[in-house]
Structure formats: C-alpha cells, structure tokens
Amino acid sequence: GPLPHDNPDNVRLAERYLHRFYGLPAGLRGRKASLDAFQDKIKEMQEFFKLEVTGNLDENTLDVMQQPRCGVPDVGEYN
Amino acid sequence: HFPRKLKWQNTNITFRIVNYTPDLKKSDVDRAIRNALNVWADVTPLTFKKLNEGIADIMISFGSKEHGDYNPFDGPNGLLAHAYPPGPGIGGDTHFDEDEHWTKDSSTYNLFIVAAHELGHALGMSHSSDPGALMYPVYSYGEGFPLAEDDIEGIQELYGPNPNHRKVKPKPDAPQKCDPMLSFDAVTELRGETIIFKDRFYWRIHPQFVEPEQTLIKNTWPSLPNKVDAAYENPEKDQVFIFSGIRMWALNGYTLVDGYPKYIHKLGLPKSVRKIDAAVHIRETGKTLLFTDEEYWSYDEASGSMDTGYPRSIETDFPGMGDEVDAAAFHYGYLYFFHEHVQYEYSYNSRKVIRVLRANSIFNC
C-alpha cells in the first residue's frame, strides 16, 4: 500500500500537529528548508514519545499524532 | 516544568468553576475538580479554596472551538483541554473542550483524570515523556491515585512535600526496556506481533517496527487488570488468553471476547491454584503448558481438558533452567522461558537449554 507520508491527509494532520505542539512555522511547504524544518520537528516529537527517531512520517508516529491529548505544547516557550 | 519554573508564590490558591458541562451533574463536576486538586494537595503544601464569584487564581471553564483565548479547540476528540502555567491574568486558567463527552467512568473522557492533568499545568508542571505519568500528554484512563513518581518529583521540585506527610502511594515509573535487571510478567504472540506485559504496561514488538511500543494496559483494555500473570496465543482459535489471579480473559485481535472473564478453574485446574505464572501454546502438539509455582500442567486445546499425569515438576522435565518461570514463549521448536532477568532458550526436541540470555535481549538491548 502507499506509504503514510504519501497521503495528503496525513501530511496535513502532521503539519497541524507539529505547528501546534512543536512550533513548526506555518506556510513553508514545498521548499527544501521547510522540508528540513518539518523533519526536524518530527524528530523532536519522535524523541519525546520514545519512538524510532527517523524524521519520517511513519505509521507509529501518525498513530501517536491521532491520539486524544492535552492541548499544551510539548516543547518550547508557552505563549 | 515550564521554562523559568513558573509557580504560585503562595500556597493558598483559589479556584472558580466559571461554567459547567451539561454532560455531568453539577455536583459531579464539582467533585471531579475538587478530587483533581486534592491529588496535588496530597503531595505538596498547597491548599485550594473555591470561590463562587470574582477572579480566582485558577479559572476553570468549558468552551468549544474559539473560546476567548485565541487557542481554539478542535471539536470532538483530538484536543481535550489545556491550561496555562501560574501567573497573573490567564495564568493558571484551565479550559475543557465542551465538544468532548465528559464522564465520571472509563467511557469516553474521564473529567477527573483530564482535570488532574490540566491542573498540574496550572500549578507549573509541563509534560512528562514517561507514558505512566499523569503529565504524559496523551489521554489514558486509569484507576486509583493517578500520580506516578515522576509527577511527584516534579511538583515537589516546585513546592516541596506535604508537611503533614499524608500517605500516598505513587505509581512507579514506566519500566525501561534496557534495564539489565528487567523481568517480565507475561509474553505472548498476537497475530505475528509479540506482546510483553510488565507491571501496568505492555510492549508491542512488530516485525516492521524497529522500536518496541510501550503502552499502558488500561489504555488499550480498560477492563483488564493492571497486572497480568500469564498469556498465550492459540493461533487456531485466533485468540489470546490473558491470566490475572484466578481470572482469565480472551482477546480476538485487540478486542476482548464476550463471556469473559472466566475462572481459571474452568480449564480443569484445582481450586488450590490461585495464579498462573506463565502459559505457552505448542502448535505442533496442540497442548498449552500452564506453569504454577514449581509445577506445570498440560491443557489439551482440542478436547478442552487437562491431560492426566499432571502437574509435573518443572525442574525435572525442563532440566537446566531452575524451578520457576515468569513467562514463556514458543518459536520454531524452541521454548523461551523467562525468569527474573534471565531468558532460557530451551530446545523442545533435544530437551536441553541451548542458550542463556538477558530477558531483554528480545528488545535488542
């Protein structure tokens, strides 16, 4: 089957999640720098949840992103 | 903790419930919030006074979508609640998503558990990466006193311990997979995955996952007990049987099978057996071995009865691996016995121990 990161819904979900909880800057899609930022934030999230740190939007990572949770960001300054 | 270790400067903190969810009776909401505050009061010198009007340190409210703080909720599921760290104005305020269904039991979202977590933020606690801690950011239902050691260490770092030394029993930290002294409660296969139970948690090893996944038992199966003694898979029935004390449950995939729990004595064990230490199904013979203390029993899955001539001595029939077993598994003609932090690889055909490994070598530690 298709890899999870190929699914645009999954990418949107991940962007929303990383934007909200890991301070991913909005509106940077499509450039190399933004891909790096996206992967760095995924790595940060994977490290926090003790997942395998790959920077890729794998099934385990998506699974955690879909779980019900608290709205307070996991890292960074609280605004 | 939040950056700069934000905390309340006095120990007498006020709170006010600004509005109520229609999902619960007003008195149930009051009780859930009061109990959630008491969780933190038990382990600190903090006291909480309820105000019915005016501005309190912690203003508690239910709202949906954009609810006045430019930090909107998202409808059912997803975000459940949020809270602000100690400070003036919005600091300490705690908001619950009204689009969730709030309960006082394990169905949907338990208000007491979410409130205890959020009020932790309102007191200065940030998120924990320990999946057994109350301050772990992902919701899970649990019973009993909700704080783990990690939560207590955190809050006492800010406010110190409770001078009245009220007795509380914290939940231990989540077991670490590479702890050299790690032992297991139970091991089973589940449709090609390996499930390892330890304390309130289980690890899931999937052939396509590089890292094992650790989850609270209650998170997946709220009605299972917090401690599993033994487990085995019968692949012909496509069922996994889980034992705790004198009760057993059956899973089909991850779903609990109706009609359980049943008493283990239904299998034909005598009433004197109060607990099964380990269980393993041997596909080739259709037998399930059940280990209790220094003995084991053989259960015939086809006839649904215990084989005669049992119990037999573990030490006699499985030479080289001591007389007690914590967990057992069977792969490709080898039995894997776990006892304390050691794993014995036992050849079922040649009837001897082939290798002795650390229990957690299963995690590639």
Side-chain angles (χ1 to χ4, degrees), chain B residues 260-272:
Chain B
Y260 287 85
K262 288 181 179 170
Y263 289 111
I264 58 172
H265 308 114
K266 295 260 181 201
L267 299 173
L269 292 168
K271 288 272 166 70
S272 57

Side-chain angles (χ1 to χ4, degrees), chain B residues 182-334:
Chain B
L182 181 70
S183 63
F184 298 146
D185 294 335
V187 176
T188 182
E189 297 296 297
L190 195 165
R191 294 184 177 170
E193 298 178 10
T194 305
I195 306 288
I196 298 164
F197 292 93
K198 174 66 181 174
D199 301 337
R200 302 180 290 140
F201 298 84
Y202 72 89
W203 279 284
R204 178 179 169 219
I205 303 176
H206 189 284
Q208 287 163 344
F209 294 171
V210 178
E211 280 292 309
E213 190 182 273
Q214 188 184 39
T215 311
L216 282 163
I217 297 171
K218 288 275 183 197
N219 209 359
T220 310
W221 304 290
S223 58
L224 280 191
N226 260 325
K227 176 95 173 143
V228 166
D229 295 328
Y232 76 92
E233 181 183 41
N234 182 332
E236 284 82 24
K237 290 182 184 165
D238 189 20
Q239 286 187 340
V240 167
F241 295 90
I242 290 173
F243 300 89
S244 182
I246 56 169
R247 290 183 175 81
M248 58 185 281
W249 288 257
L251 298 176
N252 175 239
Y254 277 83
T255 309
L256 281 162
V257 177
D258 287 341
Y260 287 85
K262 288 181 179 170
Y263 289 111
I264 58 172
H265 308 114
K266 295 260 181 201
L267 299 173
L269 292 168
K271 288 272 166 70
S272 57
V273 173
R274 309 307 291 172
K275 171 179 175 286
I276 293 172
D277 295 331
V280 61
H281 177 70
I282 301 179
R283 203 171 185 165
E284 286 79 352
T285 60
K287 308 281 187 190
T288 298
L289 308 183
L290 302 168
F291 297 82
T292 62
D293 298 326
E294 291 98 38
E295 295 172 329
Y296 76 102
W297 304 73
S298 173
Y299 179 76
D300 187 274
E301 293 281 351
S303 66
S305 60
M306 282 292 167
D307 290 326
T308 51
Y310 291 86
R312 292 177 58 87
S313 156
I314 297 173
E315 202 166 19
T316 309
D317 286 3
F318 300 97
M321 44 148 288
D323 59 0
E324 280 198 62
V325 178
D326 297 333
F330 186 81
H331 294 293
Y332 309 113
Y334 292 96

Side-chain angles (χ1 to χ4, degrees), chain A residues 20 49 60 68-72 74, chain B residues 78-81 127 137 139 213:
Chain A
R20 184 180 277 274
F49 284 101
N60 265 357
R69 56 159 295 154
C70 168
V72 171
D74 293 332
Chain B
L79 300 180
L80 307 182
H127 279 150
Y139 174 83
E213 190 182 273

